[in-house]
Amino acid sequence: YFYDRSSTGSFPAEKMNLTNCSYNKRNIENKLLPALYTVTFIMGFVGNAWGLKLLLQKWQKLGNINVFVLNLGLANVLYLFTVPFLMVYYFSGRKWIFGDVFCKMTRFCFNVNLYCSIGFLTCISVYRYLAIVHPLRMMGRLTVTHSVLISVLVWLLVSVQSMPDIFFPKRFKDKAQCFHSTSLEKTEDYLTYSLVWTTTGFCIPLLVTLGCYGHVTFVLCRRNTIEKTLRQKCVKFLFILILLFSVCYIPYHVFRNLSLFSRIQSKQNICVWWDKHVFTGHQISRGLVCLNSALNPLVYLQMSEHILTHIRQLPQQVCKIFHYMSVCSRNSVAVSQIEDI
């Protein structure tokens, strides 16, 4: 939209700032989001396809946690199939040509991917916590069957949680647009829903994850009997979680709710000085949260030893392809001699 709130009525003098209240929002959306969607689609499709392929090849060796990793990849793929339509939408200047039903399905797939990703990452954290902090109690109890049942429960809860979003208006009849949230008339109701959604779908899983890994870190520091490789795994996965939550999830939820509150203020002819900054931050966070589909394959690399082994074997495979096995097996001195020749 193009907003010029200085012409909609009188504002409180202490809140009015014409520079921040009059700006073209399309420039941000039509330039930033298409670029981020393109990067997300390319990186996410390649990374998830490759990771899922290797997981399925080793299906017999899948452990409890890898069931969650597999579902994490399926959630990413579900969303990535809708990204090309969003790319077309924003590249064409926010003109949605795929119908109202598919507009809502596209937004629904985004929400399911987002909160399933958070849910499965939380499940991985809980399983890691139980296996490290309570290994004797959990011995024989963390089965693949339990992992599958929990995964089904996550899909169901996220779907139910995301379902109300479908019933909010996503389009104007006279305009070919597909709203990320809803129309201006329903903003108050959507903010209430968004706050509940943020609490149940993001804040609670975040607190559970922080609690689990906080305790795991404490245990790892106190116990010297835990293997070094397990310590390294936990540190790496903790780094991935920090990356995903700090880059993708936290900014999106903060700016989504602030943006909705700002829209309510605009309906009341109130121009707050931070409106433009919130809108810009919201658009950037929308692009960054989509990157979770491109960053989640990092979980494959960290959780699956056979994938890491596959990566280590890549140089040997390249050598076989180019028939340079004899060169690759020599030491660095021999290699330098060959290069000199």
Side-chain angles (χ1 to χ4, degrees):
Y1 305 105
F2 180 83
Y3 279 77
D4 186 359
R5 294 179 182 167
S6 61
S7 62
T8 58
S10 60
F11 303 92
E14 67 275 9
K15 294 183 178 180
M16 186 173 67
N17 186 323
L18 298 180
T19 303
N20 291 297
C21 295
S22 179
Y23 54 94
N24 192 343
K25 296 188 174 184
R26 291 186 177 182
N27 289 335
I28 301 175
E29 288 182 306
N30 296 343
K31 293 179 180 179
L32 176 66
L33 291 180
L36 290 174
Y37 281 134
T38 302
V39 172
T40 298
F41 180 74
I42 296 173
M43 293 178 58
F45 185 81
V46 173
N48 284 282
W50 178 64
L52 287 174
K53 177 177 177 293
L54 294 178
L55 280 174
L56 293 175
Q57 286 177 348
K58 302 291 183 177
W59 178 256
Q60 292 79 4
K61 297 182 180 180
L62 283 179
N64 302 326
I65 292 180
N66 283 328
V67 173
F68 299 132
V69 178
L70 178 62
N71 281 276
L72 182 66
L74 294 176
N76 292 334
V77 171
L78 173 67
Y79 172 65
L80 287 172
F81 279 124
T82 67
V83 171
F85 300 97
L86 293 173
M87 291 166 56
V88 172
Y89 173 57
Y90 287 105
F91 273 124
S92 61
R94 288 163 48 95
K95 295 181 180 178
W96 185 261
I97 60 175
F98 306 106
D100 183 65
V101 174
F102 196 73
C103 168
K104 292 188 175 184
M105 290 304 301
T106 300
R107 302 306 186 185
F108 179 77
C109 288
F110 164 78
N111 294 322
V112 169
N113 164 62
L114 172 61
Y115 292 103
C116 275
S117 297
I118 295 173
F120 290 125
L121 289 173
T122 304
C123 291
I124 294 173
S125 301
V126 172
Y127 262 49
R128 272 282 171 84
Y129 164 77
L130 294 175
I132 294 174
V133 179
H134 305 288
L136 297 179
R137 293 182 183 178
M138 294 298 109
M139 187 175 296
R141 296 184 179 183
L142 301 178
T143 64
V144 174
T145 302
H146 290 156
S147 298
V148 173
L149 292 176
I150 293 173
S151 297
V152 172
L153 183 62
V154 170
W155 282 101
L156 289 175
L157 289 177
V158 170
S159 298
V160 171
Q161 189 182 46
S162 305
M163 194 67 68
D165 182 68
I166 297 178
F167 298 98
F168 283 93
K170 296 293 182 184
R171 300 186 67 204
F172 280 141
K173 294 182 179 180
D174 57 338
K175 294 183 179 180
Q177 295 178 349
C178 181
F179 301 138
H180 176 71
S181 54
T182 189
S183 60
L184 190 63
E185 291 77 12
K186 296 291 183 178
T187 304
E188 291 86 353
D189 295 334
Y190 199 88
L191 176 59
T192 302
Y193 169 57
S194 177
L195 291 173
V196 175
W197 204 2
T198 300
T199 302
T200 57
F202 171 69
C203 291
I204 293 177
L206 176 60
L207 292 176
V208 172
T209 301
L210 291 176
C212 288
Y213 263 88
H215 198 170
V216 166
T217 302
F218 177 76
V219 171
L220 291 177
C221 292
R222 292 190 60 183
R223 295 181 185 174
N224 296 324
T225 57
I226 298 178
E227 296 181 2
K228 183 179 179 180
T229 54
L230 182 57
R231 292 172 181 266
Q232 292 176 344
K233 271 188 174 184
C234 290
V235 171
K236 290 177 182 178
F237 187 67
L238 181 60
F239 173 77
I240 294 172
L241 286 178
I242 293 173
L243 179 66
L244 286 170
F245 276 94
S246 61
V247 174
C248 298
Y249 303 140
I250 294 178
Y252 172 75
H253 287 90
V254 170
F255 281 107
R256 182 180 70 182
N257 292 304
L258 285 177
S259 178
L260 290 169
F261 178 75
S262 177
R263 291 174 64 185
I264 294 175
Q265 294 291 90
S266 71
K267 289 179 64 176
Q268 300 173 356
N269 289 339
I270 299 175
C271 174
V272 290
W273 64 268
W274 42 262
D275 179 84
K276 181 178 181 180
H277 304 292
V278 166
F279 177 81
T280 302
H282 185 214
Q283 301 313 309
I284 295 174
S285 67
R286 284 177 59 190
L288 291 177
V289 75
C290 295
L291 286 177
N292 86 90
S293 297
L295 295 176
N296 279 334
L298 293 174
V299 179
Y300 305 151
L301 303 181
Q302 197 277 326
M303 301 303 301
S304 304
E305 286 295 330
H306 62 276
I307 295 181
L308 294 175
T309 303
H310 182 81
I311 294 175
R312 297 188 189 104
Q313 294 174 350
L314 283 178
Q316 298 178 4
Q317 296 174 1
V318 173
C319 289
K320 289 180 181 179
I321 294 174
F322 292 98
H323 305 288
Y324 286 131
M325 287 300 297
S326 59
V327 177
C328 293
S329 62
R330 297 174 185 175
N331 56 33
S332 58
V333 176
V335 171
S336 63
Q337 292 175 349
I338 293 174
E339 292 176 345
D340 290 337
I341 296 174

